[in-house]
Amino acid sequence: MDLTRIPEFHPRVVKVDFLSGKTIREPGVSYQCHLAGGKHTCIEKDIEIIPLQKIVTVLPQDTFGISKILNDYRVETTFQTLGHRSTKVEISHYYSTATLKAKLLNLIAKGKIARETQATLNAAKATIEDACGAG
């Protein structure tokens, strides 16, 4: 929920600007992520939050053009408690491919999106385990 910690678990994000002036996730909060390499940024906005269950985020703007081609792009992160010290986290990406550009982008980008999502999950898991002293 703490937006200041995004760079700790998202391998591509090096800095976050708090566009809404808030550092904690809540519906309507926007933030800009600066990506590794320094050339690209994206603005993300949380639109739905169910504590300890789900976060829905949209991508209203970015510097690489995804938001123009996939204007309904959204990411849903869900959490399911499996036990006292175990939680299942899933990150799903949704967008329509109604145009030829969207279909082509999907063909090119879906593998990269999957790899980067897995890298984010792995980094978040490692950060949490380090903080809890688990191994």
Side-chain angles (χ1 to χ4, degrees):
M1 296 298 288
D2 183 352
L3 296 170
T4 65
R5 299 191 72 184
I6 290 175
E8 291 178 36
F9 61 83
H10 196 302
R12 291 191 60 207
V13 177
V14 295
K15 179 184 170 194
V16 178
D17 296 329
F18 310 104
L19 304 179
S20 298
K22 297 184 179 186
T23 60
I24 301 297
R25 290 183 183 274
E26 64 180 69
V29 169
S30 294
Y31 48 93
Q32 182 175 36
C33 295
H34 296 263
L35 305 181
K39 294 190 319 189
H40 291 291
T41 63
C42 63
I43 294 176
E44 298 181 357
K45 181 178 182 179
D46 293 331
I47 60 168
E48 179 183 1
I49 296 180
I50 301 171
L52 303 174
Q53 291 183 30
K54 179 167 68 168
I55 299 170
V56 180
T57 305
V58 294
L59 182 74
Q61 186 178 341
D62 66 272
T63 59
F64 30 82
I66 290 175
S67 60
K68 289 181 180 172
I69 298 171
L70 306 174
N71 61 1
D72 60 349
Y73 191 96
R74 79 179 194 278
V75 178
E76 291 186 10
T77 306
T78 57
F79 308 90
Q80 178 185 1
T81 302
L82 299 178
H84 176 65
R85 294 180 51 96
S86 183
T87 301
K88 179 179 178 180
V89 179
E90 291 183 322
I91 300 175
S92 302
H93 300 257
Y94 298 97
Y95 50 86
S96 59
T97 55
T99 67
L100 180 58
K101 277 186 180 181
K103 288 176 183 170
L104 291 172
L105 179 61
N106 180 57
L107 285 173
I108 295 166
K110 69 181 176 181
K112 183 173 181 158
I113 290 168
R115 287 187 300 277
E116 290 181 2
T117 299
Q118 188 61 56
T120 299
L121 287 167
N122 292 344
K125 182 178 189 282
T127 298
I128 293 164
E129 288 176 347
D130 287 347
C132 294

